[in-house]
Every structure is written in C-alpha cells, then in structure tokens.
Amino acid sequence: MTTRVVVAGSANMDLVGLAPSLPRPGETVLGDDFVMTAGGKGSNQAIAAALAGAETTFLGAIGSDAFGVTLQARLGAAGVDVSLLRTSYGSSGVAVIMVDRAGENSILVSPGANRTFADLTEDETAAIAAADVLLCQQEIPMPTVQAALRAGRANGTRTILNAAPARALPSGLLDEVDLLVVNETEARAITGGGDPDMSALLALVPRVVLTLSGNGSRYADRDGADVHVPAYRVEVADTTAAGDAFTGALAVAWGEGRDLIDAIRWANAAGAACVRRVGASNALPVRADIEELFRTRESS
C-alpha cells in the first residue's frame, strides 16, 4: 500500500547563480552559470517525497504571476497532487541562491504568496487527516504550521516538523510534533544557544533527528536511543536541496513502516544522491537512485 504524505509549506522560484566564490558584502563576483528552477522548502520536500515513492499532496500558495504557473507545473510533473494548491493575487515566493565551486551556498528568500497561506480549509484539514505522515517547515506563517500539526495530531497522522529556517516558535507548537528534524543552528535556536542539546530537545518532542551536513545525522528519542548515522561519501556539486531531499525521503520511509534509524539511513542516501547535481527540485533523486546508494552501503 502506497504511503500518503501531505506537505504543508512554501513554494518559491529559485534563481541560482554559480560562481567561483560567494561574494562578500559590497563585492561583485563574475559567475559561471545561472539556473532557474522550482524550489521552496515545502515544494522541494513534496517533490522529494513523490519521487521517493509516496502519494503526495502539497498544501501551500503560489502567486498569480508566471512563476506561479511554473511552480504548479513542476509540482504536477513530479507526481504531486496540487488540487488544493492556492493561488494568491501578486508575486510568488522567490529565492536568490548563490553557489560556489565547493558546493556551499548563500540564500535570500522573498516569501511573496507564501505569506497568504493562512486559515486551513475543510478540504486541507481533511487531506491532513487522511495522510500517513504530515510534513511541515517554517517558511509559511507559523499559525498555519501550528494549525496543520494540530490537525495531524488530532487525527492520528504522524507529524514531522523540519524547523527551518530557524524562527521563534509559538507556545505549544512542539506539543503537536512526533518527530523534529533540525540542523545545529536550528537546534540552538530552539534550546537557546550553545552546542545542540539533545536532552533539551527531547524535553520538548519525543523524537529528534539532528542533521550534521557531511557528517550524516544523529537520532535520539525518549526511549533512550542516541545513534549517529554516517553520511554517504559522494562527489558534491551543490548542497542546496540536500536537506529537503533528506527530509522528504525520511517522511516516506517512516510512513512505509521502517524503524527510524533505518529510515534515516535511507534518507541519508537521498541527500547524498541530491548533492551530486546542481539545483533544487531538479536535483532531487528518484527512488531508484536512493535505493542504489542505500544498497551500496548495506552491502559494504
């Protein structure tokens, strides 16, 4: 039976410039190339989940501009259900991304229509209730994130919050989260600074995945697990959508019934497959690419 994943989040058009190095303040750098592609953490994670094999529905908002048309088409082409996608008059979200030759990036996001995604409809709430897994991020209004997570928890849907980008969290929001996915910066934003404190995070949520970039991931839960899951070693072209590939694949694997440590190993393979290509949604791997890397690790 196919896993059903609902992603509630942002959709942006990504304008990606490739250059030898990232410009410092006041500096102009001559670039190598330019790519325009559909992005946004919500859209990326929805596409990642669909390509990884889930029946995926995206909840969010696009603008009435040409970027909105492209975003909707890209989601649909990846197999994402966009029947509940809203269109708001005005501009779509836009992300300006700079990537250097080492694969490091710098990102500026203008939310556009994503700001208008508020007050869940009955149909949106019903989609969440019917899903196996709900996946949210923090590029849309926080009251909408909280309402979606609350709807998931109330209806027995597993809830995942990728707390990115780091933002102040409304009171009670983490009470609705089954699994928190954060990097070190986001973890510090939640716990108040210093080194990421897993025990402090577990006081707020029952399960935590801490992503460690090229060092893999760390998983901990209230049952006493605390496990480092190594990364896959691949040649890196661009790290822009690696976290979204990881999180989307993690939602799929957990929804399919894998235990979370195995699901993280599979998600690490998705992230590794993603960084081998330049771009955002266009770099996200299909299930066969994830399985190929995963089998390589399992057979080694």
Side-chain angles (χ1 to χ4, degrees), residues 62-119:
I62 55 174
S64 56
D65 54 4
F67 285 167
V69 174
T70 303
L71 289 167
Q72 183 167 3
R74 176 69 184 95
L75 283 158
V80 177
D81 179 356
V82 293
S83 60
L84 298 177
L85 180 61
R86 305 182 190 185
T87 300
S88 299
Y89 180 77
S91 64
S92 298
V94 174
V96 180
I97 303 170
M98 295 174 288
V99 183
D100 68 17
R101 289 177 181 169
E104 293 301 318
N105 63 70
S106 179
I107 304 174
L108 170 67
V109 177
S110 176
N114 295 302
R115 290 195 183 100
T116 71
F117 182 32
D119 301 321

Side-chain angles (χ1 to χ4, degrees), residues 287-298:
R287 190 178 182 98
D289 292 339
I290 301 171
E291 288 287 356
E292 180 182 9
L293 267 178
F294 183 72
R295 286 196 300 268
T296 299
R297 167 64 57 83
E298 291 301 291

Side-chain angles (χ1 to χ4, degrees), residues 8-10 12 41 109-111 114-117 136-146 161-171 173-174 180-192 201 204:
S10 61
N12 298 322
K41 296 195 75 64
V109 177
S110 176
N114 295 302
R115 290 195 183 100
T116 71
F117 182 32
C136 295
Q137 319 78 30
Q138 298 185 164
E139 289 183 338
I140 57 175
M142 292 306 292
T144 308
V145 176
Q146 189 161 25
L161 175 63
N162 177 206
R167 296 175 63 178
L169 303 183
S171 175
L173 182 140
L174 292 177
L180 179 68
V181 180
V182 287
N183 63 22
E184 293 175 287
T185 299
E186 294 147 6
R188 283 191 288 267
I190 292 172
T191 59
L201 291 170
L204 302 170

Side-chain angles (χ1 to χ4, degrees), residues 6 128-129 131-136 145-162 173-181 205-207 250-251 254 260:
V6 168
I128 292 170
D132 297 301
V133 179
L134 167 69
L135 173 57
C136 295
V145 176
Q146 189 161 25
L149 291 169
R150 187 179 296 119
R153 176 59 70 84
N155 288 281
T157 301
R158 288 176 171 176
T159 58
I160 301 176
L161 175 63
N162 177 206
L173 182 140
L174 292 177
D175 294 341
E176 314 295 343
V177 175
D178 293 318
L179 174 63
L180 179 68
V181 180
V205 295
R207 304 168 191 85
L250 178 62
W254 197 27
L260 269 168

